Every structure is written in structure tokens, then in C-alpha cells.
């Protein structure tokens, strides 16, 4: 056997195509895989006049990383990428993922979040049937929950167009897995955050505003309070990087199986707010009732956060609490970053960004 053929057969680097590369999860997954050294990562992004490369700046010039153009709403582009690259894994983190906006553009959300998954599955079926496919699910699929904590067998009961789009994607993954014998996984990911989280999401909205208020207080500047919706909603929050380790583990099992990834504990939005301000050395206290409840500086009347009804959703999901026991027992996975450490890292990151921008 010629040496070149031998090397290609036995030492070829694994090829992983990741959609949504500019987002939190896509960037974190790419970073995790590139650290292994034997994987070539293709990061898919839509053509844009002003793309934001912030999340990939740490590894954009890595010799094993390459940006490629693609669009989950365009079958031809997905077909072309799979046919040309012949990836060993296609990990789909591309999505219209902001729940609040999904009521405004429900058809677009369905096309990208569900149709995009089908387009990926079709491309794999036609051009690379041994490619392993991952579909990122969401606890929003469970919606108005029947019991807590929620496991992989909990009924699908979404309460938003976003949740419905992810639920439909889950069904399509199952159909293709069973119909075409594909290695296809759709895992339920409970809320996961981090320093690469988009500013439109409530956790990053909180930590960014906390940093701005901290800077204003330290420099005797005026500021507007943090505006929030339902502060009593409880979520199961984890760090995104912890979840990326879990995703990679489930993608390398003998047989495909769907799992839940979660911290197995819950915290309210009000709790997140209080911990974020406390870590920024701006301790405060919630007081008042209903829509008039406010978070104020201790022993002062300075308002740091308040309720604004425009941030309430048409249909609220009050509690999401995961049970990731099977993933822990069968994959050997467990989260390494606590809720407190997650909040602290996000606050520290936004404090540093704020100081840099103001200097």
C-alpha cells in the first residue's frame, strides 16, 4: 500500500462540521474539539455584510479550523457542504434561538429550527450516510411540565413557537434514525450560559447591565435600572462548556441515544439577579409586590432592577428542572461548573468589557 494511501486510511483527521459557529455553543464546541489536536473543524456561517467574529477570535487562525458558508434555510448549500466536505460529524447548533422573538417570526423559526434539521438529515442520507448527526434540543420542548424533575420521557408540551420547532426537530431526528439507520441524536439541553452568550438572552442581559450599573455607581454617573419580565420563573442553569463535553460523549457511543443534559437544580431569575449584583459588590434587596417589586441598594432607595410587563411572554414557562441521571451514569458525564461560578464568570467578563469600553 503506498504511504500516502496508508496515511489517509489510518491517520486521517476526523472532520466535524458545526453549524451556528458564531454562537455560544458552536464556538464552545469548536474550541473543545480543536484542543484535541486530531480534529479538523469546519464552522458554518451564513453570509453577512457584518458578521460578528467575537466568539471565535481565540481560535479563528487555528490551522485545524476553517470557516465555510452555508444556510440552514437553503437545501442546496447544506447538500453542497456535506457532499464536498464528507464530514464524520455534523453538529447542528444553528438556530433561531431567542424564545421571546419566536412569537414575532414563527414561520422563520420553524423553517430554520425544524426545516434546517431535515435539510441536514437529507444531505447526510444522500451524500454521507455514515456521518454522525447531532441536533440540539431544548427544555422549552417540555413547556408546561407535568412533573419535576423532567427526564427524556417527559411529554412534549411546548408553549412557544421556538419550543414547538425544537419538538418537531426531535420527531424528525427519530424518523430518520429509524427509517435510514442513521447515527442521529437529539438531546434535551436545559438552560446553559457563559461568557459567549448573546446579549439578547436574559442571563447576559443581566450581567451586562450589572457591569454598567457597577461602573456608573463607582463613577457617580446616572443609570437606568435593569428591566425584567417574570423574575419568579425558575430554570435549570449550567455552563455551556460543560454541555459541549456531554454532547461529544453522546456522539461517540456505539449506538445513538437521546439524553438530557442539566445541572439537576433550579434557580429563579430573581436569584440570578441578586447573585450577579452581589458578586459585583453592589448588594441589594428585593422589595415590593407584583409589578411594583424592585431591587434596591441596601439601606438606600436607589433602584437597580424593576419589572416591566413588556418582557413577559404570551405564554410563560414557570419551571424547568432537568434530570440528567442517565447521562451521568451511562456517559460518565457530570457538570463541573456550579451555578455560582457560572454567574461570577459572566459578571467578571462583562465588568472587564465595560471597563475596556469606558476607558
Amino acid at each position: 500500500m503506498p504511504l500516502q494511501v496508508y496515511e489517509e486510511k489510518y491517520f486521517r483527521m476526523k472532520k466535524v462540521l458545526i453549524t451556528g459557529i458564531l454562537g455560544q455553543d458552536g464556538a464552545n464546541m469548536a474550541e473543545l474539539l480543536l484542543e484535541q489536536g486530531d480534529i479538523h473543524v469546519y464552522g458554518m456561517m451564513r453570509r453577512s455584510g457584518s458578521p460578528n467574529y467575537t466568539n471565535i477570535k481565540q481560535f479563528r487562525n487555528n490551522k485545524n479550523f476553517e470557516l465555510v458558508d452555508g444556510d440552514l434555510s437553503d437545501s442546496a448549500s447544506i447538500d453542497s457542504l456535506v457532499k464536498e466536505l464528507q464530514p464524520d460529524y455534523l453538529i447542528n447548533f444553528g438556530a433561531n434561538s431567542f424564545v421571546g422573538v419566536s412569537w414575532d417570526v414563527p414561520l422563520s423559526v420553524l423553517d430554520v429550527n425544524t426545516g434546517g434539521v431535515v435539510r441536514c438529515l437529507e444531505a447526510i442520507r444522500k451524500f454521507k450516510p455514515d456521518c454522525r448527526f447531532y441536533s440540539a434540543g431544548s427544555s422549552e420542548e417540555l413547556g408546561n411540565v407535568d412533573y419535576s424533575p423532567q427526564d427524556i420521557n417527559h411529554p412534549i408540551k411546548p408553549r412557544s413557537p421556538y419550543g414547538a420547532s425544537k419538538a418537531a426537530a426531535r420527531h424528525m431526528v427519530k424518523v430518520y434514525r429509524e427509517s435510514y439507520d442513521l447515527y442521529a441524536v437529539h438531546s434535551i439541553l436545559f438552560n446553559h450560559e457563559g461568557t459567549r452568550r448573546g446579549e439578547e438572552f436574559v442571563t447576559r442581559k443581566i450581567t451586562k447591565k450589572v457591569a454598567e450599573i457597577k461602573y456608573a455607581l463607582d463613577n457617580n454617573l446616572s443609570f437606568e435600572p435593569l428591566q425584567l419580565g417574570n423574575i419568579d420563573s425558575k430554570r435549570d442553569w449550567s455552563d455551556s462548556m460543560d454541555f459541549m463535553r456531554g454532547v461529544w460523549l453522546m456522539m461517540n457511543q456505539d449506538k445513538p441515544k437521546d439524553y438530557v443534559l442539566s445541572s439537576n437544580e433550579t434557580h429563579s431569575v430573581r436569584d440570578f439577579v441578586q447573585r450577579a449584583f452581589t458578586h459585583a459588590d453592589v448588594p441589594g434587596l428585593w422589595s415590593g409586590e407584583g409589578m411594583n417589586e424592585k431591587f434596591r441598594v441596601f439601606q438606600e432607595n436607589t433602584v437597580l432592577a424593576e419589572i416591566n410587563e413588556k418582557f413577559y411572554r404570551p405564554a410563560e414557562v414557570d419551571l424547568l428542572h432537568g434530570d440528567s441521571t442517565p447521562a451521568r451514569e451511562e456517559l460518565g458525564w457530570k457538570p463541573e461548573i456550579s451555578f455560582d461560578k457560572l454567574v461570577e464568570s459572566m459578571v467578571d467578563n462583562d465588568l472587564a468589557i465595560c471597563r475596556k469600553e469606558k476607558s
Side-chain angles (χ1 to χ4, degrees):
M1 181 182 294
L3 180 59
Q4 181 178 359
V5 175
Y6 180 87
E7 289 179 342
E8 289 178 353
K9 181 175 181 180
Y10 295 103
F11 298 108
R12 182 180 67 82
M13 296 180 73
K14 293 178 181 177
K15 294 186 289 186
V16 180
L17 173 60
I18 302 175
T19 71
I21 191 63
L22 301 183
Q24 168 187 256
D25 290 350
N28 283 343
M29 176 58 78
E31 182 175 298
L32 175 70
L33 298 183
L34 290 168
E35 288 175 352
Q36 299 187 26
D38 61 346
I39 296 174
H40 192 93
V41 175
Y42 297 92
M44 192 187 92
M45 56 174 283
R46 289 183 300 170
R47 286 186 179 274
S48 170
S50 55
N52 185 347
Y53 297 113
T54 301
N55 281 343
I56 66 170
K57 62 183 180 182
Q58 290 180 305
F59 57 81
R60 188 179 176 187
N61 295 321
N62 188 300
K63 62 184 177 63
N64 292 330
F65 177 74
E66 185 176 342
L67 282 171
V68 294
D69 292 324
D71 191 335
L72 286 172
S73 64
D74 178 21
S75 296
S77 72
I78 303 301
D79 284 355
S80 178
L81 280 176
V82 173
K83 185 177 181 180
E84 177 184 348
L85 300 179
Q86 292 289 290
D88 299 293
Y89 301 82
L90 198 170
I91 299 178
N92 180 42
F93 286 123
N96 189 327
S97 56
F98 188 39
V99 179
V101 172
S102 69
W103 278 276
D104 299 327
V105 287
L107 290 177
S108 175
V109 169
L110 192 67
D111 182 50
V112 173
N113 296 2
T114 307
V117 166
V118 176
R119 292 179 184 104
C120 290
L121 289 165
E122 272 291 284
I124 290 171
R125 179 186 69 81
K126 292 184 291 185
F127 303 114
K128 192 67 165 65
D130 64 342
C131 174
R132 296 190 169 199
F133 177 69
Y134 176 79
S135 168
S138 169
S139 54
E140 292 286 336
E141 298 171 37
L142 310 180
N144 189 19
V145 300
D146 290 343
Y147 58 83
S148 289
Q150 296 94 49
D151 54 25
I152 199 67
N153 297 313
H154 188 281
I156 297 175
K157 302 174 61 179
R159 300 200 78 194
S160 68
Y162 170 79
S165 72
K166 287 293 187 176
R170 180 180 179 183
H171 286 307
M172 293 306 295
V173 168
K174 180 178 184 293
V175 168
Y176 271 74
R177 182 170 61 218
E178 296 177 354
S179 300
Y180 302 110
D181 195 29
L182 300 181
Y183 193 108
V185 168
H186 180 94
S187 67
I188 301 296
L189 303 181
F190 277 71
N191 292 68
H192 51 291
E193 316 298 328
T195 57
R196 286 173 166 143
R197 179 51 109 181
E199 295 177 6
E200 69 272 23
F201 291 88
V202 67
T203 51
R204 187 69 192 287
K205 173 184 175 180
I206 291 169
T207 59
K208 185 174 186 290
K209 190 65 176 179
V210 166
E212 292 173 355
I213 291 175
K214 169 64 174 175
Y215 183 87
L217 290 172
D218 287 348
N219 292 277
N220 296 315
L221 302 173
S222 62
F223 63 87
E224 293 296 322
L226 169 65
Q227 305 281 310
L228 295 166
N230 183 9
I231 62 172
D232 291 315
S233 63
K234 293 182 178 180
R235 293 293 183 268
D236 187 322
W237 274 303
S238 299
D239 189 282
S240 169
M241 192 60 83
D242 272 342
F243 278 14
M244 297 308 100
R245 293 188 298 102
V247 168
W248 191 238
L249 284 170
M250 70 179 73
M251 290 302 291
N252 287 280
Q253 301 303 297
D254 291 336
K255 295 181 180 180
K257 182 177 178 180
D258 299 339
Y259 288 93
V260 163
L261 294 183
S262 64
S263 71
N264 291 6
E265 61 182 49
T266 64
H267 299 273
S268 66
V269 173
R270 71 166 64 239
D271 190 20
F272 196 107
V273 170
Q274 186 143 10
R275 293 187 189 218
F277 273 111
T278 299
H279 183 65
D281 197 24
V282 187
L285 182 70
W286 286 102
S287 61
E289 296 182 359
M291 297 298 296
N292 294 318
E293 187 170 6
K294 300 180 188 300
F295 188 73
R296 294 180 171 87
V297 176
F298 274 134
Q299 299 179 336
E300 296 182 22
N301 198 35
T302 304
V303 177
L304 303 172
E306 58 190 11
I307 312 302
N308 189 326
E309 62 181 352
K310 80 174 186 178
F311 293 114
Y312 275 78
R313 299 174 182 176
E316 287 288 336
V317 175
D318 295 319
L319 171 66
L320 291 173
H321 180 193
D323 179 3
S324 55
T325 301
R328 298 172 189 234
E329 294 179 348
E330 298 172 19
L331 300 178
W333 171 85
K334 65 177 181 179
E336 298 177 353
I337 302 169
S338 68
F339 174 73
D340 285 347
K341 291 297 183 184
L342 168 64
V343 176
E344 291 169 8
S345 67
M346 293 180 69
V347 170
D348 288 341
N349 177 69
D350 279 320
L351 284 171
I353 292 174
C354 185
R355 294 188 189 111
K356 184 177 180 180
E357 291 177 345
K358 301 293 186 180
S359 64

